[in-house]
């Protein structure tokens, strides 16, 4: 294996060590799924190392964003909101918060907190995200047990994300 592949593996291991710290303390009553990225690679290729490394995307209900934000901040992640109004605008007109970031030994770990599978400009009826997340499945990604969407819901989320 070449040094680029080794570096990619090491970065993913460090990234998911940070994710483990988050999911280990996330309250049981907060349904979540990690979408796209390494979990998608596991579902599609049975290997979390097949896709390029980027951020980690958590999917939670809008009602859970505050608690997830608190857990991220307690674990050294921060976001660069410039004002309270900036934060509110992101919550009102988007499907996700601003990215959270933490400097880790090898790489900055970025986490996006998504609270909808529809993009911000969608004006139709919203789905109940807690219900959508109810049958999430547990998988192992880079030595970390995480929840992700089942394959059918993964496809739905992915199609809507790229639409």
């Amino acid at each position: 294996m070449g040094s680029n592949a080794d570096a990619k593996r090491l970065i993913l291991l460090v990234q998911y060590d940070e994710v483990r710290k988050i999911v280990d303390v996330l309250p049981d009553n907060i349904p979540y799924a990690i979408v796209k990225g390494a979990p998608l690679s596991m579902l599609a290729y049975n290997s979390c190392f097949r896709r390029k490394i980027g951020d980690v995307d958590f999917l939670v209900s809008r009602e859970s964003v505050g608690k997830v934000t608190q857990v991220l901040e307690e674990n050294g992640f921060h976001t660069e909101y410039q004002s309270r109004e900036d934060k509110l605008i992101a919550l009102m007109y988007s499907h996700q918060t601003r990215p959270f970031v933490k400097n880790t030994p090898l790489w900055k770990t970025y986490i996006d907190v998504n609270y909808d599978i529809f993009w911000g400009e969608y004006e139709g009826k919203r789905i109940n995200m807690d219900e959508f997340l109810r049958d999430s499945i547990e998988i192992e990604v880079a030595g970390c047990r995480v929840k992700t969407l089942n394959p059918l819901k993964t496809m739905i989320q992915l199609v809507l994300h790229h639409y």
Side-chain angles (χ1 to χ4, degrees):
M1 184 179 323
S3 62
N4 189 27
D6 291 339
K8 185 172 150 180
R9 284 179 181 275
L10 188 55
I11 290 168
L12 193 66
L13 289 168
V14 169
Q15 187 179 53
Y16 271 82
D17 186 53
E18 293 299 327
V19 169
R20 180 193 47 75
K21 294 171 188 174
I22 302 303
V23 299
D24 281 355
V25 297
L26 207 56
D28 291 337
N29 65 341
I30 296 183
Y32 80 91
I34 298 179
V35 296
K36 305 183 300 182
L40 176 60
S41 183
M42 284 299 299
L43 292 175
Y45 306 113
N46 202 30
S47 171
C48 58
F49 302 106
R50 300 286 292 221
R51 299 188 70 237
K52 81 174 188 144
I53 298 168
D55 60 6
V56 176
D57 289 277
F58 275 76
L59 180 61
V60 299
S61 69
R62 187 181 294 265
E63 295 75 27
S64 297
V65 169
K67 184 60 181 172
V68 173
T69 295
Q70 178 185 346
V71 169
L72 286 165
E73 289 172 348
E74 288 170 354
N75 282 275
F77 284 86
H78 68 278
T79 187
E80 298 174 354
Y81 287 116
Q82 297 172 343
S83 67
R84 186 176 190 286
E85 291 79 21
D86 186 37
K87 183 177 180 180
L88 289 173
I89 287 170
L91 284 170
M92 288 172 47
Y93 299 109
S94 182
H95 63 287
Q96 66 184 23
T97 66
R98 287 269 184 102
F100 287 84
V101 64
K102 180 178 180 179
N103 290 323
T104 51
L106 299 173
W107 192 261
K108 288 183 177 186
T109 297
Y110 290 91
I111 293 180
D112 287 343
V113 178
N114 297 260
Y115 46 83
D116 205 338
I117 59 172
F118 296 105
W119 283 58
E121 65 271 8
Y122 176 74
E123 295 179 2
K125 183 179 180 201
R126 301 289 177 173
I127 64 168
N128 180 317
M129 193 55 58
D130 284 334
E131 186 176 312
F132 188 76
L133 292 164
R134 189 164 288 131
D135 61 350
S136 294
I137 59 174
E138 193 171 284
I139 62 171
E140 185 172 315
V141 175
C144 176
R145 301 292 300 172
V146 297
K147 293 180 182 177
T148 193
L149 298 174
N150 68 45
L152 180 58
K153 287 183 179 177
T154 293
M155 184 179 72
I156 292 167
Q157 186 275 329
L158 194 60
V159 167
L160 290 172
H161 179 76
H162 287 285
Y163 174 66

